[in-house]
Amino acid sequence: MPQLILVILAIVLVVWLVWLALALLVRAVALILVGWILLFVGGIAGGVVRGVFLPPSVLAGNTEEIPSIATPDGVVKGRVLGKAPRGHAKYLGWDRAWPVYIPHQAGRDANAVLAAAKRIGLESLASAFAWWVTGVLFSPALVGFALGLWASVLTWYAVMTVLGALVFVGQGTGVVAYRWYDHLARRSIGADLRCVSCYRVTVVPSYRCPGASCSTIHNDVRPGPLGIVHRQCGCGTRIPATVGRAAARLVTVCPFCDTDAPDGSGTRQVLPLPVIGAVSAGKTQFLTSGVVELRDRAEVASGSLTPISPVAEDFLKTSRASVFSGRRVSKTAWEDRPEGIPLVLSHGGAEIEVQIMDAAGENFVGWERSQSLGYIDTASTLLFVLDPLALPEVREQLRRSGEEGAVPLAQGDQEGAYAAVVDRLRAEGVALGPKHLCVVLTKLDILRKVPGTVDRLDPANGASVKGWLREHGGQRLVRRINGDFRNVDYYAVDSLGSREGTDPSHPVQVLDRALRVADRRMAVLPEPESVPAGEARNA
């Protein structure tokens, strides 16, 4: 019996010890699980906090992952915005400037943050298996840290993606609106840039960076991926991001020949006035007298005629001296590509750039020579200067009157000078119908000294001038002009005498007509009286 009791007590003791061991084990496991849970939660919290501070740390350059920079040189090489821009600058390439932050640099920054999060998270997981004891004990914290870090960074990435998308849409809307505002504002006045050197025409001028040591030319300053309200040149200089605002601060450059253009070019309407005629037809004398009177008329009306290039300043100075002295100007020297004479006429609250294009008569000997005068192709008004004294029927009368040596006569074939331009334009497919032609008979002061030649010539009546030309050997020329152009005016002018601009024989009458055709507000002479049909200048 005692032995049985001892056996039972032994069994009970063993069971109790087993139960105690199991209880202790369960408690130990529970404590470990609770510890792991706390470590896991703490790890997540630490990872979240690390994820919050990771983006600014990466952007500050405090991590191994340094974001690649969308530099101006990268823009030029096509690594940021693509290989080539669309539209105007397609063949010029991207300008050397910093791109807008969103999306170009923002995407690079975000990728660097993701790369840093990936590296740190993987390093955290790898350290959980690096040491048997510490790795097992602290693996929940390390796993939680990695998960918290990734969750934090991915949340940041999602928020930034949504905000970036909203900003991107807003930028796109702003670019379209600002571009159209600038475009329509300039289109409403017919603004463009007509280079006086290469004769090319564009509505999007280039601009030279104003930085002291920078030689960058920005070919397209309109709002876009390089800036909406302004852009930052590669040298750090801020530049306005519209043609209108850039023209007020920067040097304008022709995008085709890189020649500096006058201030304000591309923001005002331009009226090119190409003059056609044979050698010594009187083209320069006609322009000299007309421009001086145009300036005087503008000043009387509280306006101004301002030269905007050195060539224009010299021309106006020489012209005034010639008019005041009563001397005839020298013959224009022959140049294959003569530079235009830009003058800004301000009148009645508006302004227009008048570009006098005075090529020597040698340029009109044949249509091959006139090919270099590309400004004629795009001009809406052409001035054909004709020397009536050189007409065969008039030349003989001039000789008999003893006035043959009073003034040099036009040399060569005057109708050929006209054909040199018109035949080339037709061959190149340029429409002549929409253009306006002013036929100008010069040297009226000498013609009046030839007996019997001007009895039926009335400078105030274009039909009279046209009829006179027909009667004195110009029938074929008039017939051809009628077949080439729908809008033709005829004038007879005295380029040397001193008269009021209201005199119908004053050259300013022709310039005023060209201005009136371009913009009626820019006319400097009183509105001409209406005349019956058949007596108008284009009759």
Side-chain angles (χ1 to χ4, degrees):
M1 188 66 180
Q3 293 179 344
L4 180 60
I5 293 173
L6 290 173
V7 171
I8 293 172
L9 290 174
I11 293 173
V12 170
L13 180 61
V14 171
V15 171
W16 180 80
L17 291 174
V18 170
W19 176 84
L20 181 61
L22 290 175
L24 292 173
L25 180 61
V26 169
R27 177 172 292 184
V29 171
L31 289 175
I32 292 174
L33 289 176
V34 170
W36 278 359
I37 292 174
L38 292 177
L39 288 174
F40 182 74
V41 172
I44 289 178
V48 169
V49 172
R50 182 69 178 94
V52 169
F53 289 98
L54 183 60
S57 179
V58 172
L59 299 183
N62 297 326
T63 64
E64 296 179 9
E65 292 74 19
I66 299 177
S68 61
I69 306 300
T71 63
D73 290 331
V75 170
V76 172
K77 294 177 181 178
R79 299 172 183 170
V80 178
L81 305 178
K83 294 299 182 182
R86 298 178 181 178
H88 163 77
K90 180 177 181 180
Y91 301 104
L92 301 174
W94 293 107
D95 294 342
R96 188 175 182 275
W98 291 93
V100 294
Y101 181 76
I102 295 176
H104 307 293
Q105 185 59 48
R108 289 167 166 76
D109 292 345
N111 291 336
V113 171
L114 290 178
K118 179 179 179 181
R119 177 184 60 80
I120 295 173
L122 291 178
E123 288 177 354
S124 177
L125 292 177
S127 63
F129 305 97
W131 304 278
W132 286 103
V133 177
T134 57
V136 171
L137 291 177
F138 296 101
S139 60
L142 298 174
V143 172
F145 177 83
L147 295 178
L149 175 67
W150 288 337
S152 177
V153 170
L154 289 177
T155 301
W156 170 85
Y157 187 83
V159 171
M160 295 303 294
T161 299
V162 173
L163 293 178
L166 294 176
V167 172
F168 181 73
V169 171
Q171 288 180 167
T173 304
V175 165
V176 172
Y178 207 16
R179 271 201 177 205
W180 273 102
Y181 167 76
D182 183 55
H183 173 74
L184 294 176
R186 290 182 293 115
R187 184 177 180 181
S188 65
I189 59 175
D192 57 24
L193 168 65
R194 291 175 180 264
C195 181
V196 296
S197 296
C198 72
Y199 314 139
R200 302 286 291 275
V201 182
T202 181
V203 295
V204 186
S206 300
Y207 294 93
R208 197 177 300 280
C209 176
S213 59
C214 184
S215 60
T216 299
I217 294 178
H218 295 264
N219 293 305
D220 190 352
V221 299
R222 295 176 299 175
L226 295 179
I228 302 173
V229 178
H230 65 269
R231 69 168 53 175
Q232 187 172 5
C233 178
C235 70
T237 304
R238 287 165 65 93
I239 295 175
T242 60
V243 172
R245 293 174 58 223
R249 291 183 48 194
L250 310 179
V251 175
T252 308
V253 178
C254 172
F256 303 104
C257 66
D258 288 345
T259 300
D260 289 356
D263 292 344
S265 295
T267 61
R268 54 181 169 252
Q269 183 182 5
V270 181
L271 173 62
L273 289 180
V275 183
I276 303 166
V279 176
S280 296
K283 301 184 294 298
T284 304
Q285 188 69 50
F286 154 72
L287 291 172
T288 293
S289 180
V291 168
V292 170
E293 181 65 16
L294 179 63
R295 181 175 186 175
D296 293 342
R297 284 279 162 180
E299 291 177 350
V300 168
S302 299
S304 64
L305 183 68
T306 307
I308 54 175
S309 78
V311 171
E313 290 179 0
D314 291 343
F315 174 80
L316 193 55
K317 182 179 179 180
T318 303
S319 297
R320 291 182 67 86
S322 173
V323 170
F324 292 151
S325 66
R327 298 193 309 268
R328 295 189 181 276
V329 297
S330 303
K331 177 189 176 301
T332 302
W334 177 73
E335 294 181 74
D336 186 51
R337 299 180 66 86
E339 183 175 340
I341 303 169
L343 308 160
V344 172
L345 174 64
S346 300
H347 176 54
E351 68 176 23
I352 188 171
E353 182 177 330
V354 181
Q355 288 188 358
I356 304 295
M357 312 301 292
D358 182 22
E362 288 86 351
N363 292 90
F364 307 107
V365 172
W367 71 270
E368 294 86 356
R369 282 194 178 183
S370 73
Q371 277 186 315
S372 62
L373 308 180
Y375 57 82
I376 297 177
D377 303 32
T378 57
S380 58
T381 298
L382 306 179
L383 309 183
F384 175 44
V385 175
L386 183 70
D387 182 1
L389 303 177
L391 295 173
E393 293 186 11
V394 180
R395 185 191 290 265
E396 179 61 23
Q397 293 174 293
L398 180 67
R399 186 187 64 78
R400 292 176 182 176
S401 67
E403 297 289 341
E404 188 174 17
V407 64
L409 302 185
Q411 304 172 21
D413 183 5
Q414 296 195 89
E415 185 176 345
Y418 170 86
V421 172
V422 174
D423 288 348
R424 180 182 65 81
L425 294 180
R426 285 193 177 281
E428 295 176 359
V430 178
L432 298 177
K435 294 183 181 295
H436 195 98
L437 178 67
C438 293
V439 180
V440 184
L441 274 63
T442 58
K443 306 176 184 177
L444 183 59
D445 53 327
I446 304 299
L447 187 64
R448 283 171 171 162
K449 297 178 181 180
V450 181
T453 57
V454 294
D455 296 341
R456 300 174 57 185
L457 177 60
D458 180 8
N461 189 323
S464 168
V465 177
K466 181 179 179 180
W468 184 93
L469 184 57
R470 278 199 183 112
E471 294 171 1
H472 291 79
Q475 304 95 324
R476 186 175 63 180
L477 178 59
V478 171
R479 186 166 55 251
R480 175 164 188 184
I481 289 174
N482 288 341
D484 292 332
F485 294 90
R486 292 197 301 265
N487 303 303
V488 184
D489 290 337
Y490 289 83
Y491 298 86
V493 301
D494 174 2
S495 304
L496 190 62
S498 177
R499 300 165 316 287
E500 287 291 327
T502 52
D503 188 311
S505 65
H506 199 293
V508 78
Q509 295 279 342
V510 184
L511 303 184
D512 183 74
R513 175 60 175 166
L515 289 167
R516 198 179 296 275
V517 170
D519 187 344
R520 300 185 68 87
R521 299 174 302 169
M522 304 311 299
V524 296
L525 296 177
E527 186 77 22
E529 296 181 4
S530 59
V531 295
E535 297 184 9
R537 285 204 176 274
N538 61 344

